[in-house]
Every structure is written in C-alpha cells, then in structure tokens.
Amino acid sequence: WVVLQGCRGYTSLHQRLRCLVKQLEKGEASVVDLKKNLEYAASVLEFLYSEESRRMVGLEDELGDIPSDSVPSEVRNWLASTFTRQRALTARCSEDKPRFRSIVHVVQAGIFVDRMYRRSSSMAALSYPASVVTELKHVDMWSFNVFALNEASGDHSLKFVFYELLTRYDLINRFKVPVSALILFVDSLEMGYSKHRNPYHNLTHAADVTQTIHYLLLKTGLLHWLTELEIFATIFAAAIHDYEHTGTTNNFHIQTRSDISLLYNDHAVQENHHVSAVYRLLQTNDDTNILSNLSKDDWRELRALVVEMVLATDMSCHFEQIKVMKGLLQQPEAIDKAKALSLLLHTADISHPAKPWSLHHRWTFSLLEEFFRQGDKEVELGLPFSPLCDRKSTMVAQSQIGFIDFIVEPTFTVMTEMIEKIMTPLLEEACLLGLDDIRRSSVNSASDGKSTKSEGSCSLTSVDFNSFKVTWSQEVRHNKELWKSHAATGTKEEKEMERRVSESSKNQEMKTEAHKETQHGAA
C-alpha cells in the first residue's frame, strides 16, 4: 500500500479503500496514489477470486502434471487417494487473525525467552528416570531418537516429551496448569493412542511429531513470532493430533460406513474425532482438565487454533493447503498465523523422510505394516485393496520415492519459504535495535537434578535459514538415493525389516495385554 495521509491506522483492504474514497471526495488524493492503490487492490481481489473459484470447482488436478511413466500406477493411485480428495484418480467436484508481534514487544519476548527453560519446585511431580534424562538431552536435535526415548521410558515417550516441553516453555506456570491433572491427562492420552495397537499411528508417533514441531519453533526462531498461548496451542495440537487413531484411512471409514464417518459426514473423519475426543476427555473429567484455569478468551483462542491445526492434518487437504500458502507467499501482507501453524504441524506429521535413514526406515515399515493390516481387513470384508495395502504386491522403495518427490520435499520447501518471510522483518528490526543478545538460558536440571544441557542457542538474530534448509534437504536427498538403490537391487533387507516390525508390533500387543491384566488384578 502507498501510505496515504490519514490512512496510516488502517491495515485491511476495505478500510484503506474507504479511506481513499473519502480523500477523493475531499480532493486530497493524487491520481498517482489512486492508481497504485487500485492496482494493489486488484491484485488482492484477483488472488481471492482465483482461490474461491478453485475451491468451488474442486478439481484437485495437482497430480495431473506427473508424467504417467514417472511413477508406478499403484504409487500414483496412493498419492491421489491419500493427498487429495480424489478416489482412484477420479476427481469430484472472518475476522482478522493475529498479525506480527510488534517489534516493540521484542524485549518482552526476550523476558519470556529467558525463562523458557526455567524449572520450579512445583514441577517435581513427574519423576524422570536417569535413562529418560539421558535421551531428553537431545530433544533440541533434528536427529532426536524417539524410539530410544520410548524404550527408556517403558513406552511412555509421549508423556515425557509433552511434560518436558510444557516445562521448558514455562507454560505450566504461565497458564496455571494443575500438575496432577497434567499427569492424569497424558496418561489418558497415551491410553487413547494405544487403544487400537497401531504399528505407526501410536503414542510414539505423537511424541515424534511433538518433538519435531518443537525443533521447528526453536531452530527457526518462529517462537519469537508467537504468543505464549499460541505456543501452548501448537504443542498441545501436536500431542493430540492422532488421538484414538484406528490405524485405517479416512477412505476406509467411508467405504465401511463406520460410526465416525456417519457422525462427521465423511469429512476429515478421523481428524474430527481426534480433536473432539480429546476435548470431551477434558470436559467430562475435571481430574484431567489441564485447561481449567484458562480465561474464557484464552480457552476460545486456544481451541480455535487447535481445531484448525488438527483438521489441517487431513492428508486429502495437502495440495489445497500448499497452494493456498504459495498464494499467500506472493502477497505483501503478513502470513495468517493459524495457516502458518497448520502447515507447520502438517509438515511435522510427514517429516520422517527428512530424518536420518535409521529413523525414516523404521517409520516406513511401521506405516506399511499398518497399511497391510488394513488390507487384511479389506480382504475379510470383500473390499478391493486400497493403494499400498496388499502385502504381496506393494512396492516399498517406489512408494517412498514418490512420497518424497511429490509430497515431502515440496512441503518442506514451502514451509521454509514461509518461515523466512515471517522471520525476516523481525530479524532485521531486532538487529537495528541491537537485540543480538536475547537468548534462552540452557536447559536446567531435570526433575532428578541431573544436567540436561541444551544442544544449541536460539538467539533471535542467530537464525540461519540456509543451515536449517541444509539440515532437512541433505537427509531427504540421502534417503531418496538409498531407496533408489533398494529399488534397483531388490534387496532382501526390506523383507527382513518388515518381519521385525511385525514381530515388534506383536510383542508390544503382548506387553499391553499383560499390563492390562496386571492393572485388573490390582483393581
């Protein structure tokens, strides 16, 4: 916008246009200013019109540009059925959000930053085993091994990651979260994640996504852009985003006419259930209500963010979400916070191909085992196999290459561009104000008093976008090359890994049953 005299206080499009009309009536606006502002208004309206037209038509043709011979048909069908609203490649047809934290509040952000890693005596309710403390020392790293934490904690990785991050960000004190309620809530959360004994969509996946989104907030400096309530909403949404996942896809629910598909009218079936079930848990049991001390306004704002973020993890919305963000990146206005955080959670949810090979490989075969179990159910019900659900014919390496090429790498690229657009103005103004020394203190002792020193600094002005991009892009390229090698050699390693994942899942089921029997005997 050309800044017109008397219009400085107006930030939205319609306010500026009305101000411009008034100045024209008074003869105060020049033709040059009028032309520039109308051109800008036209560009905004064109963008909105194209987005609305695209939504109304509903043609999700993002995969149409993929040459038919570039990926196997099975992989192509999987991409289409999972990441668009198409089925087997058949297409079918507010108020302003919060904007940038003002730079005058950067000093306040610094105060928040300084106490991010504080611990107080009131947080000593959760005891950290020494082995858990050792694993949590690496929670600020991209290569964090959530499987090691899960083993060290006795299958309680989500409990310790969630509690640890709320403590590090001082959110327990800030929002007066009752510690007893927090522990009971996370116990209930873990029980919900274990309900269907999924190889992939389980509490370990939830812990992994929660740690990943923490890394993204920390290493990119994004947390300086957010209020404490928005940080709370982000971590909370990550922790609950797959609560009571059934281990089957939304399309499976729709095809089998499940109760929740009927309840939510075939729209974001599981995502609606995840967030709804968690809020019912909070509302029906005061002992687990960690949001009980929020003000009404804070509760409503947090819920609105959490609902939007979790619903955005519906994979069929993937291409729409990416296209909208690309459009927003072309506009001069600030990025909408809810859309930014939704993309952040979606990226964390599909991030394992950008992690070290040992982690990515294990996640891949856990997910495939879950797909195969759905395929077994489809055989029992007389349904055709969903893509990648047939144990005998699924092409593992090719599916992962397609997933990386068409989903993961483009998503990380758009997310990185989004973060750079958000953070660049804050970084420039912070440098001008000489706020180079705002840093988080290193992580203090855990609950048992042992040191868990932070792995890195998160100074507002030490953010390095190139380094961040190199971190994930190198892993993506490396993993893709390994899958290409596997596809070329037809290695037996995949079969062996599949067997081990299957055995591991069975062993976990036996442990869960034994634990339930022990609890029943105690009762």
Side-chain angles (χ1 to χ4, degrees), residues 237 271-272 275 279 302-312 342:
E271 292 73 24
N272 272 300
V275 71
Y279 270 91
L302 183 137
R303 175 169 164 77
L305 278 172
V306 169
V307 170
E308 185 162 349
M309 290 176 69
V310 175
L311 292 186
S342 295

Side-chain angles (χ1 to χ4, degrees), residues 247-260:
T248 52
T249 63
N250 283 342
N251 281 342
F252 181 84
H253 279 278
I254 294 168
Q255 294 299 320
T256 58
R257 304 176 187 177
S258 70
D259 289 342
I260 59 173

Side-chain angles (χ1 to χ4, degrees), residues 70-132:
S70 66
V71 292
S73 59
E74 181 187 10
V75 175
R76 183 181 173 86
N77 285 337
W78 169 65
L79 291 169
S81 64
T82 303
F83 298 98
T84 76
R85 292 195 177 95
Q86 302 173 39
R87 302 217 179 95
L89 292 180
T90 302
R92 59 171 187 160
C93 301
S94 73
E95 61 185 86
D96 291 340
K97 302 290 184 180
R99 296 181 181 274
F100 284 116
R101 179 199 296 270
S102 172
I103 197 62
V104 300
H105 294 144
V106 169
V107 175
Q108 292 176 329
I111 295 172
F112 160 61
V113 161
D114 285 338
R115 71 171 190 266
M116 173 185 168
Y117 287 113
R118 284 185 196 166
R119 298 175 183 273
S120 65
S121 58
S122 65
M123 298 178 192
L126 182 61
S127 176
Y128 284 56
S131 56
V132 170

Side-chain angles (χ1 to χ4, degrees), residues 47 91 98 199 238 242 249 269 286 288 307 339 379 439 442 510 515:
F47 168 72
D242 275 331
T249 63
V269 176
D286 290 339
T288 61
V307 170
K339 285 185 171 56
V379 170
R439 297 180 185 274
S442 59
M510 294 173 63
H515 181 63

Side-chain angles (χ1 to χ4, degrees), residues 86 111 229 233 237 244 326 401 408 469 511 523:
Q86 302 173 39
I111 295 172
L229 186 69
E244 291 189 345
K326 284 182 176 179
I401 294 169
V408 177
K469 187 173 182 178
K511 288 180 182 178

